[in-house]
């Protein structure tokens, strides 16, 4: 759908907020806390952004965008878009919903990872639910929504952790998650280091109580090429034909060369947009998000390679 940028706001150093509305003032498709939309500027790249406003609001979508030197989508929004412009927006999707049956919610946000958590907080306040936020950033100047969250901090529901760029000086995630309280659900979203630390520290939490969403950040990088990478063949089971994937090329890029579009967003192996089913062959998964049961059937076409000479894709 085409939506109009109604306003652009400064939220923190290098972080702008964008308010999107229907050009004719209609209600927008509903979303639940934790949802994201994909946004595209002037026919450029699609990028996913979490919605941070209250899901009860029907007339606007609000996203926050961190300017990243290597991020084409974020650069376009920061540099090219002005209030009044029209951008293309997908319907909301949600891979990071709140649990309905939790007695307590423990939220950990790192940097721009605060965005889905803000929508969760709006929903949890409405439910009068028991929650506590730990918000990790480098400094107060880089902390979006600081004013809004200071009231929660004063009430003891939110804690700011400024690490000055050294995670060792920030929140001790291992200590925080060491002893899960019965009925508590954990949610975390942030840069790669925080995601790894939270995943390791919550590995012993009961099944179904840990929820997370990846996003890019200064620490995110595409999986590195390995010295023994070899070209391999991709066979298309439904459309027929084979394509060679060169060293240094992704499956998604090789498919695009042949005019076969696999939708991508992060191109770094963390968002799941390029999820593709395979039918035969042995992938070399180079992402950190697929679960073992997913890996038996799916690969991420932006970063997986092959251990076998050939992979058969369900395309
Ligand atoms: S495009 Fe994000 S995981 Fe492949």
């Amino acid at each position: 759908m085409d939506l109009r940028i109604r306003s652009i706001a400064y939220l923190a150093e290098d972080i702008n907020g964008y308010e999107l509305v229907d050009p004719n003032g209609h209600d927008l498709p509903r979303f639940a806390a934790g949802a994201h939309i994909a946004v595209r500027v002037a026919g450029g790249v699609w990028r996913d952004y979490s919605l941070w406003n209250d899901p009860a609001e029907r007339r606007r979508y609000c996203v926050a965008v961190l300017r990243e030197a290597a991020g084409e989508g974020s650069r376009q929004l920061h540099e090219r878009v002005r209030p009044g412009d029209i951008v293309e927006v997908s319907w909301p999707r949600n891979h990071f919903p709140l649990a309905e049956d939790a007695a307590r919610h423990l939220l950990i946000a790192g940097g721009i990872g605060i965005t889905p958590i803000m929508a969760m907080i709006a929903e949890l306040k409405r439910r009068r639910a028991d929650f506590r936020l730990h918000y990790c950033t480098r400094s107060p100047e880089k902390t979006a929504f600081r004013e809004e969250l200071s009231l929660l901090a004063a009430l003891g529901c939110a804690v700011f952790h400024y690490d000055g760029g050294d995670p060792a000086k920030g929140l001790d995630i291992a200590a925080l998650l060491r002893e899960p309280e019965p009925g508590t659900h954990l949610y975390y979203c942030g840069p790669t280091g925080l995601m790894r630390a939270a995943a390791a520290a919550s590995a012993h939490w009961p099944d179904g109580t840990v929820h997370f969403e990846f996003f890019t950040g200064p620490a995110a990088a595409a999986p590195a090429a390995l010295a023994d990478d070899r070209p391999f063949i991709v066979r298309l089971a439904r459309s027929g034909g084979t394509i060679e994937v060169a060293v240094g090329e992704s499956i998604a890029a090789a498919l695009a060369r042949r005019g076969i579009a696999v939708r991508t967003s992060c191109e770094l192996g963390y968002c799941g947009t390029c999820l593709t089913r395979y039918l035969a062959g042995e992938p070399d998964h180079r992402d950190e998000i697929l679960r073992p049961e997913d890996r038996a059937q799916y690969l991420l076409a932006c970063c997986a390679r092959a251990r076998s000479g050939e992979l058969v894709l369900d395309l």
Side-chain angles (χ1 to χ4, degrees), residues 263-274 289 300-303:
R263 205 174 138 207
T264 61
S265 180
C266 71
E267 298 186 356
L268 301 172
Y270 66 80
C271 75
T273 305
C274 63
I289 64 167
L300 294 178
C302 72
C303 62

Side-chain angles (χ1 to χ4, degrees), residues 110-113 189-196 215-219:
I112 195 70
C189 181
T192 311
L194 180 144
M195 300 302 284
R196 285 204 187 113
F215 83 99
T216 189

